[in-house]
């Protein structure tokens, strides 16, 4: 059977498998993590504090950057770095100056550093 006789969908499937193997694996946020981050982002947008965000899925880490204005540097970066999972924790919140505000194993606890909830006084 020649390549002309093969089914076109089989050729595409083989090409897709070859391309998937060639791509480097990337660190990503799962659905729960992204949902938690976007809920926080939505509340801060509603308060008028944040305006824009960017998500970067890199080879060694995933980064969710938060901006006050689109033309500025990010005021916070929420990073997931799998290399630190067994050490300090894979999640971290980093300020605009590069200072690590909090690092840990649980995303909810790490986000508490920037998540201001209403408190009864």
């Amino acid at each position: 059977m020649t390549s002309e006789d093969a089914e076109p969908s089989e050729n595409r499937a083989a090409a897709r498998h070859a391309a998937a193997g060639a791509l480097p694996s990337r660190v990503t946020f799962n659905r729960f993590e992204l949902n938690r981050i976007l809920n926080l982002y939505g509340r801060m947008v509603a308060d008028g504090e944040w305006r824009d965000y960017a998500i970067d899925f890199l080879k060694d880490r995933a980064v969710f950057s938060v901006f006050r204005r689109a033309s500025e540097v990010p005021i916070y970066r929420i990073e997931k770095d799998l290399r630190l999972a067994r050490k300090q924790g894979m999640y971290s919140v980093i300020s605009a100056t590069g200072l690590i505000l909090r690092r840990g194993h649980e995303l909810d606890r790490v986000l508490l550093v920037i998540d201001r909830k209403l408190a009864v006084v």
Side-chain angles (χ1 to χ4, degrees):
M1 184 188 290
T2 64
S3 63
E4 297 172 358
D5 297 337
E7 193 70 29
S9 60
E10 290 175 6
N11 290 339
R12 280 186 257 137
R16 194 175 314 125
H17 280 304
L23 288 176
S25 64
R26 295 177 184 219
V27 178
T28 61
F29 292 110
N30 64 30
R31 182 176 289 202
F32 167 77
E33 295 163 340
L34 206 52
N35 188 29
R36 176 65 179 97
I37 293 169
L38 288 174
N39 281 338
L40 171 62
Y41 175 78
R43 285 197 314 272
M44 297 303 255
V45 167
D47 289 343
E49 295 189 30
W50 296 353
R51 290 202 147 179
D52 201 8
Y53 72 92
I55 302 176
D56 297 311
F57 298 122
L58 306 172
K59 197 173 192 177
D60 59 339
R61 67 186 189 276
V63 181
F64 186 95
S65 302
V66 177
F67 299 87
R68 185 162 289 144
R69 290 178 194 82
S71 62
E72 294 181 349
V73 296
I75 54 174
Y76 295 112
R77 289 190 332 255
I78 301 164
E79 292 191 3
K80 177 182 179 180
D81 191 342
L82 296 179
R83 294 174 298 172
L84 300 173
R86 293 183 183 238
K87 297 177 183 175
Q88 300 112 344
M90 72 174 115
Y91 303 107
S92 58
V93 174
I94 302 170
S95 71
T97 60
L99 178 68
I100 297 174
L101 301 176
R102 185 171 285 177
R103 179 177 281 159
H105 297 283
E106 299 173 14
L107 180 62
D108 288 334
R109 294 189 59 130
V110 171
L111 291 179
L112 286 177
V113 74
I114 54 177
D115 187 6
R116 288 189 238 75
K117 294 186 178 178
L118 296 176
V120 178
V121 179

